[in-house]
Amino acid sequence: MTNEATASAPSTDQLPFMSRRFLVLFGVVAVLGSVLAWFLSSALLQDRIAALMAGEERKIRQDVSNISENLERILNRLQGLPAVLAIGSDVAAVLAAFGPDVKSSPLALDARKAAWTRHPDLLALNRQLMAAAREMDVDVIWVMNASGDCVAASNFTERTSFVGTNYVDRSYFKSAQAGNRGHQYAMGRVTNVPGLFFSAPVMAGTRFLGAVAIKIDLPRLAPWVNHPHAFVTDENGVVILAGDRGLEMRALPGSAVFQWSAEQRLARYKRSEFELLGIEAGRSSGGLARVTGSPHPHLVAHNELAQYGVVVHMLVPIKDIESMRGDAFIAFLLLSFSGVMLIALVFGARIYVLRARQHRQSIEATNASLNELNEHLNRIARTDSLTDCANRRHFQACLETELVRAGRYGRECSLLLIDIDFFKQINDRHGHATGDEALRHFVQIVRQQLRSQDELGRLGGEEFAVLLPETGLANAIAAAERIRCAVEAAPLRFGGVQIPLTASFGVACWKSPAESADALLQRADTALYAAKSGGRNRVASADGAADQLPRSLSQTA
């Protein structure tokens, strides 16, 4: 028995060997657990960073797009103003007096400024330009003859009057000289205020008589770049407008302005040196970049408005990546330690499952939030922000869809075009806030007269349209008359003032599948014109039927 017991127990020589095997196995398990923990934490980190980057990049690109659209809308309006002024007979007559071959005046600046300001024709033009500048809401409008001399300006009464100054070297003048519209960013030659300049040529047949130019001071555009990380550069890479004013007049790496001479920089920007905006990396179309002096990586996005020579940029720091890396390192330590013992490994696996579930829930919550945001944006894209009815694009889509349905099932469909009578007078007499309230009041009245399947849309300004599915001409005329009476019977009460409202209606009934939505709109518009020409506050049909008001009532309207 003693010998058998001795044989079944491990010998003292075997114990160190077993301990060494256990230690080796424990070491292998610990290393494998650490490697596994490293891969798991790295994968989790990459997923979180990818989700963060995708969300931030979508948001940044949307912000850039919104700022670009707002800025482009303003610049479109500004670029068209000089062309409107350039076709005026007064401008052409003044420049024709100088002639296409005029040379720059040899008189001193003060002498030619005094002479041109006192000239009766130029004085009259100066006053017209002053009134136009106020009406068009720009800072300065001026007229240059063929030699580049400013002969009339809206600021002729000010100390910084442009009259007498020569602009032949400006890019916008050279563009006009070539018969094209021009634009340029520059520091004001007289005012020293940075601004955007737009020009249009004045021609006599094929001969260049001069140019009309406008300027809007750059600080007035600042509210449209209302993002703290957004900035705008000109075609030479110089920051001309920024949410962070400290970025202005810096230049992007590799900008064209660094190829210029000091004299050229002084002429354009009134400075010869530019501090570099230290963007060290990043793809040309956007992505992550390092910015000098910042510990955080930055997301870069931009949108070029090439027709105006400006680029809208977004440079946003991503501050959560470092904290995510710290979280990932902590996870690695926890998972590594859990691999030392089986119980700790099970506990660590449980932690990982919980964290993965939390991560999944976070992604689901983020997706739900994004879905809500998308629904909100879709509603904004379909709705007129002022009146909360369909905007022009959505109404056009509804009209085309309804015409397809009507054609497929052989149903009738009618369209009303409505124009609020004398709406401009409401704005002029009571202000635009009252005009906006009048539009909302009008929409509220119209909606009370419509069926649930009818669609009301705002086409622009005070012009609206109503889509009447499964409605013939007679019923459409009756509906228009009902709306007309309701509008007339409910004047606007706003700011302690009662303001009567009336509207004119054009009715058109869809004829056949051969008639397009645009053709139907055109017929309704023709009927609307007939209603307005016939005295307003009435209904006219494209097919000849009309609701004629009593003469006394139409005169009152």
Side-chain angles (χ1 to χ4, degrees), residues 243-267:
D244 178 4
R245 299 298 299 274
L247 298 180
E248 292 181 0
M249 300 313 293
R250 293 190 180 187
L252 296 176
S255 297
V257 74
F258 293 119
Q259 310 294 327
W260 288 17
S261 66
E263 291 77 11
Q264 290 174 312
R265 297 176 191 172
L266 284 170

Side-chain angles (χ1 to χ4, degrees), residues 245-422:
R245 299 298 299 274
L247 298 180
E248 292 181 0
M249 300 313 293
R250 293 190 180 187
L252 296 176
S255 297
V257 74
F258 293 119
Q259 310 294 327
W260 288 17
S261 66
E263 291 77 11
Q264 290 174 312
R265 297 176 191 172
L266 284 170
R268 172 71 70 89
Y269 301 101
K270 298 295 180 70
R271 63 169 62 198
S272 59
E273 299 297 331
F274 293 88
E275 184 178 350
L276 189 67
L277 186 60
I279 302 176
E280 299 177 354
R283 303 187 300 273
S284 59
S285 60
L288 276 178
R290 282 288 176 185
V291 176
T292 302
S294 174
H296 306 291
H298 286 61
L299 265 177
V300 179
H302 69 253
N303 191 21
E304 183 177 4
L305 303 178
Q307 67 274 34
Y308 300 112
V310 296
V311 182
V312 178
H313 301 263
M314 193 76 75
L315 190 63
V316 180
I318 306 300
K319 300 179 180 179
D320 294 337
I321 292 180
E322 293 301 324
S323 63
M324 288 182 178
R325 287 174 178 162
D327 292 343
F329 182 70
I330 293 173
F332 165 68
L333 293 178
L334 291 174
L335 293 174
S336 296
F337 181 75
S338 67
V340 176
M341 296 177 294
L342 180 61
I343 296 177
L345 180 62
V346 172
F347 181 76
R350 178 62 177 169
I351 293 293
Y352 174 76
V353 170
L354 290 176
R355 294 193 61 166
R357 182 180 302 166
Q358 291 173 356
H359 180 59
R360 185 172 61 254
Q361 291 173 349
S362 175
I363 293 177
E364 291 172 354
T366 301
N367 289 336
S369 176
L370 290 174
N371 288 335
E372 292 178 0
L373 178 59
N374 287 333
E375 290 177 2
H376 177 65
L377 292 175
N378 186 41
R379 184 177 182 278
I380 291 175
R382 293 184 290 107
T383 305
D384 176 65
S385 60
L386 177 62
T387 61
D388 201 38
C389 63
N391 59 22
R392 185 184 189 97
R393 181 172 58 183
H394 181 58
F395 182 85
Q396 182 80 17
C398 292
L399 175 60
E400 292 174 354
T401 301
E402 180 58 31
L403 293 186
V404 170
R405 191 187 73 84
R408 179 181 299 131
Y409 299 107
R411 304 293 175 83
E412 294 179 306
C413 178
S414 293
L415 175 68
L416 309 183
L417 283 188
I418 312 171
D419 192 278
I420 301 176
D421 296 331
F422 306 111

Side-chain angles (χ1 to χ4, degrees), residues 93-239:
V94 166
L95 293 180
F98 283 91
D101 300 317
V102 64
K103 303 299 181 183
S104 181
S105 174
L107 297 176
L109 175 60
D110 291 339
R112 61 176 176 264
K113 179 182 296 187
W116 289 341
T117 303
R118 287 195 299 265
H119 191 280
D121 292 341
L122 295 177
L123 180 59
L125 182 57
N126 282 329
R127 290 171 177 162
Q128 291 178 22
L129 295 180
M130 178 185 289
R134 285 195 299 266
E135 183 178 350
M136 294 178 176
D137 194 26
V138 296
D139 291 288
V140 188
I141 305 175
W142 68 104
V143 175
M144 296 160 283
N145 63 21
S147 70
D149 285 339
C150 174
V151 298
S154 61
N155 64 349
F156 72 102
T157 61
E158 301 174 12
R159 181 180 57 83
T160 55
S161 169
F162 289 7
V163 176
T165 306
N166 187 272
Y167 295 94
V168 71
D169 61 320
R170 290 293 199 180
S171 296
Y172 58 82
F173 181 81
K174 293 178 180 178
S175 296
Q177 235 177 354
N180 303 314
R181 296 184 185 182
H183 60 81
Q184 180 183 359
Y185 162 81
M187 296 290 289
R189 175 157 293 170
V190 178
T191 62
N192 288 327
V193 177
L196 292 178
F197 298 78
F198 298 88
S199 66
V202 179
M203 309 294 291
T206 60
R207 305 203 68 185
F208 176 69
L209 293 180
V212 178
I214 69 166
K215 177 192 177 187
I216 185 165
D217 290 342
L218 216 56
R220 295 184 60 189
L221 297 178
W224 298 97
V225 186
N226 55 359
H227 195 291
H229 303 296
F231 60 93
V232 180
T233 60
D234 67 359
E235 68 270 21
N236 299 313
V238 176
V239 179

Side-chain angles (χ1 to χ4, degrees), residues 24 34 36 38 55 90 127 149 170 187 220 224 227 276 343 367 426 440 453 493 506 517 531-532 556:
V24 170
S34 297
L36 179 61
W38 173 258
D90 293 338
R127 290 171 177 162
D149 285 339
R170 290 293 199 180
M187 296 290 289
R220 295 184 60 189
W224 298 97
H227 195 291
L276 189 67
I343 296 177
N367 289 336
I426 298 177
R440 289 189 285 266
Q453 65 266 35
R493 293 176 175 84
K532 292 168 67 176
T556 303

